[in-house]
Amino acid sequence: GSYTTSSQQPSKLLFRQLFEKESATYTYLLADASHPEKLALLVDPVDKTVDRDLALVKDLGLKLIYAINTHVHADHVTGTGLIKTKVPGVKSIISKASDAKADLVVEPGDKICFGDLFLEVRATPGHTLGCVTYVTGDGPSQPQPRMAFTGDALLIRGCGRTDFQGGSSQQLYKSVHSQIFTLPKDTLVYPAHDYKGFTVSTVGEEMLFNARLTKDEEAFKNIMANLNLSYPKMMDVAVPANMVCGLQEVESKPC
Amino acid sequence: GSYTTSSQQPSKLLFRQLFEKESATYTYLLADASHPEKLALLVDPVDKTVDRDLALVKDLGLKLIYAINTHVHADHVTGTGLIKTKVPGVKSIISKASDAKADLVVEPGDKICFGDLFLEVRATPGHTLGCVTYVTGDGPSQPQPRMAFTGDALLIRGCGRTDFQGGSSQQLYKSVHSQIFTLPKDTLVYPAHDYKGFTVSTVGEEMLFNARLTKDEEAFKNIMANLNLSYPKMMDVAVPANMVCGLQEVESKPC
Ligand SMILES: [Fe+2]
Ligand SMILES: [Fe+2]
């Protein structure tokens, strides 16, 4: 069924979901457990929980190679920069459309490989101009069901705001419908945040029950235009830091 | 490997982990997704998040039959009583050793069936006298890897306190080593709480890295005797309520 979160998984994915409570951010650890070096990556690490995350990477015997962001966050400072200072060789990754500095910038259709596993990059602008969704690969040796790391484009029963950072409710509506709701219905939805204690959803479930994205486009744009949200406390600190992947001391060279 | 949290799962288990942030409690929803009625149960529901949990049960088309506690909690009021008032027919379950009232009391070795799936009951006293761990079944039609809902007996890299409610560090040490660390190493550990943002661990991982339970028994007892924890704020409200499964108005009849 499209709501089943545990089913046949022929892959050797090691997967951990981690939570940072101040910003209600989810960080995800993925590794190829059958690769001799157990190559691993982190999606959306937070500066405050870097020590926890790196201790877990060490306990599990993983080799961290990438620290990836779904977008330039406005509510917390990414852990990417701190990770790079603590684990030599880790490369930061963000989308080219974000215009942020990173070791590697990715574009829609690119694959981020770790061992025999990979994430594919889908452009899902609307919350910010540079938002991407990372989706586990399609194919017999990749995890089943697939997993979508949707950042703030699609939250469980909700979505990210669209009123700054190049946001656009029209663009977000199109992104979610064309890039996420077209995935198999049993695809697991792992967002960058949750404020109600949900940990995971599925594409099929959000297509039926998402409070905003199930509406038609006009109704969606009206909802998004009338949220009356306050200016994010962390924004003026977080955005400049995150534009250089948390490496504030970076000058001319990419972080 | 023993750390892989996603691997072959021939079952049709629908599984969701849910978080209540004030008490840092995890509630677990399990259902047999291939059963015609999609029979479901909740482990350790919290009163404050009952509406969220029941909305999810409804969205997913499940029929909730049991609301189960791992023990008489001291830090939050169970959602069991509220669930029973909102969903007729749901039965509360707790261990016989807890001495609490419930529709059904279970003993070590008992099975709690929902569709073709079941949880087995293991006695893991030490945090409280009546603590049990619920473990998914062994066998080809049950979820692989197995899942252990350890309550406060075993937390990720830690364990529950042992200084009240019939607690005993000696008993807890024996419980974890004899009843949990004897499970297959890839068994997923799902605790009742986490305070650092971890969501899951494995038996193999805790056998190697648990900060307390990897010590010898004397060292463990010393650690537990010197935690200097304060008296739980909620205890005088929560324990009496939870002794009747959250149905405070219950008088002579079991809740
Ligand atoms: Fe964001
Ligand atoms: Fe407890």
Side-chain angles (χ1 to χ4, degrees):
Chain A
S2 57
Y3 308 139
T4 308
T5 56
S6 304
S7 65
Q8 271 93 353
Q9 298 216 345
S11 81
K12 359 60 191 169
L13 175 71
L14 184 157
F15 174 67
R16 291 295 167 88
Q17 183 171 27
L18 298 152
F19 188 64
E20 196 285 309
K21 61 189 172 190
E22 272 179 63
S23 60
T25 299
Y26 282 123
T27 296
Y28 300 96
L29 174 64
L30 290 84
D32 182 346
S34 53
H35 186 276
E37 292 189 281
K38 296 192 178 185
L39 301 182
L41 57 82
L42 282 165
V43 177
D44 287 335
V46 177
D47 61 347
K48 291 182 181 169
T49 38
V50 158
D51 287 341
R52 174 200 65 188
D53 299 348
L54 294 181
L56 181 61
V57 164
K58 181 166 177 267
D59 281 357
L60 298 177
L62 310 179
K63 182 177 178 183
L64 187 65
I65 56 172
Y66 297 128
I68 302 179
N69 279 295
T70 52
H71 65 292
V72 173
H73 301 280
D75 60 343
H76 67 271
V77 173
T78 177
T80 309
L82 205 53
I83 288 169
K84 282 171 56 68
T85 67
K86 292 181 180 231
V87 188
V90 174
K91 293 201 186 315
S92 58
I93 299 182
I94 201 162
S95 74
K96 186 171 186 197
S98 72
D99 215 27
K101 286 187 181 183
D103 293 320
L104 300 167
V105 291
V106 288
E107 294 187 82
D110 283 354
K111 290 179 180 181
I112 299 168
C113 297
F114 53 111
D116 291 334
L117 303 176
F118 66 92
L119 296 175
E120 66 169 56
V121 180
R122 293 188 174 214
T124 50
H127 166 63
T128 76
L129 195 62
C131 283
V132 293
T133 292
Y134 298 108
V135 187
T136 57
D138 199 8
S141 62
Q142 302 300 313
Q144 276 300 327
R146 296 177 76 178
M147 305 158 84
F149 302 95
T150 55
D152 294 358
L154 180 64
L155 305 178
I156 298 173
R157 307 295 193 268
C159 66
R161 62 198 291 177
T162 54
D163 55 339
F164 53 66
Q165 287 184 285
S168 154
S169 58
Q170 186 173 347
Q171 206 168 32
L172 183 59
Y173 193 84
K174 192 179 164 202
S175 290
V176 172
H177 280 267
S178 68
Q179 299 298 312
I180 301 175
F181 284 178
T182 51
L183 287 161
K185 285 187 183 175
D186 64 354
T187 303
L188 300 167
V189 171
Y190 285 110
H193 298 286
D194 194 276
Y195 305 97
K196 293 179 184 165
F198 293 110
T199 56
V200 66
S201 183
T202 64
V203 164
E205 197 178 320
E206 293 309 313
M207 288 172 73
L208 284 175
F209 303 116
N210 190 286
R212 296 174 181 175
L213 272 313
T214 50
K215 303 283 192 286
D216 66 34
E217 188 176 337
E218 281 313 303
F220 177 76
K221 287 197 286 189
N222 272 328
I223 292 170
M224 298 310 289
N226 291 287
L227 294 177
N228 294 314
L229 297 170
S230 54
Y231 191 79
K233 269 180 300 195
M234 285 286 290
M235 180 142 155
D236 297 334
V237 172
V239 170
N242 293 337
M243 284 299 288
V244 290
C245 288
L247 274 183
Q248 292 87 326
E249 67 272 31
V250 166
E251 295 183 56
S252 62
K253 65 181 166 67
C255 59
Chain B
S2 57
Y3 307 138
T4 309
T5 56
S6 302
S7 65
Q8 270 94 352
Q9 298 217 346
S11 81
K12 359 62 191 171
L13 175 71
L14 185 158
F15 174 67
R16 292 293 167 89
Q17 183 172 27
L18 299 152
F19 188 63
E20 195 287 310
K21 63 187 170 190
E22 273 181 62
S23 60
T25 299
Y26 282 123
T27 297
Y28 299 97
L29 174 64
L30 289 85
D32 182 346
S34 52
H35 185 276
E37 292 188 282
K38 296 192 178 183
L39 301 182
L41 57 82
L42 282 165
V43 177
D44 288 335
V46 177
D47 61 347
K48 291 181 181 168
T49 38
V50 159
D51 286 342
R52 174 199 64 189
D53 299 348
L54 294 182
L56 181 61
V57 165
K58 182 166 177 268
D59 281 356
L60 298 177
L62 310 179
K63 182 178 177 182
L64 187 65
I65 56 171
Y66 298 128
I68 302 179
N69 279 295
T70 52
H71 65 292
V72 173
H73 301 281
D75 61 342
H76 67 271
V77 173
T78 177
T80 309
L82 205 52
I83 289 170
K84 283 171 57 67
T85 67
K86 292 181 181 233
V87 188
V90 174
K91 293 200 187 313
S92 57
I93 298 182
I94 201 163
S95 74
K96 186 172 185 194
S98 72
D99 216 26
K101 287 186 181 182
D103 293 320
L104 299 166
V105 291
V106 288
E107 294 187 82
D110 284 354
K111 289 180 181 180
I112 299 169
C113 297
F114 53 112
D116 291 332
L117 304 175
F118 66 91
L119 296 176
E120 67 170 55
V121 180
R122 293 187 174 216
T124 49
H127 168 63
T128 76
L129 195 61
C131 282
V132 293
T133 291
Y134 299 107
V135 187
T136 57
D138 199 8
S141 61
Q142 303 299 313
Q144 275 301 326
R146 296 177 76 179
M147 304 158 85
F149 301 94
T150 56
D152 294 358
L154 180 65
L155 304 179
I156 298 172
R157 307 294 193 265
C159 65
R161 62 198 290 177
T162 55
D163 56 338
F164 54 65
Q165 287 184 286
S168 154
S169 59
Q170 186 173 347
Q171 206 168 33
L172 183 59
Y173 193 85
K174 193 180 164 204
S175 291
V176 172
H177 280 267
S178 68
Q179 299 299 310
I180 301 175
F181 284 178
T182 51
L183 286 162
K185 285 185 183 176
D186 64 354
T187 303
L188 300 167
V189 171
Y190 285 109
H193 298 286
D194 194 90
Y195 305 97
K196 292 178 184 166
F198 293 111
T199 56
V200 67
S201 183
T202 64
V203 164
E205 196 177 320
E206 293 309 313
M207 288 172 73
L208 284 175
F209 303 116
N210 190 286
R212 296 175 181 175
L213 273 313
T214 49
K215 303 284 192 288
D216 66 33
E217 186 175 338
E218 282 313 303
F220 178 75
K221 287 196 286 190
N222 274 328
I223 292 169
M224 298 310 289
N226 292 288
L227 294 178
N228 294 315
L229 297 170
S230 55
Y231 191 80
K233 268 180 300 192
M234 285 286 290
M235 180 142 157
D236 297 332
V237 172
V239 170
N242 293 337
M243 284 299 289
V244 291
C245 288
L247 274 182
Q248 293 86 326
E249 67 273 31
V250 166
E251 295 184 56
S252 60
K253 65 181 166 64
C255 61

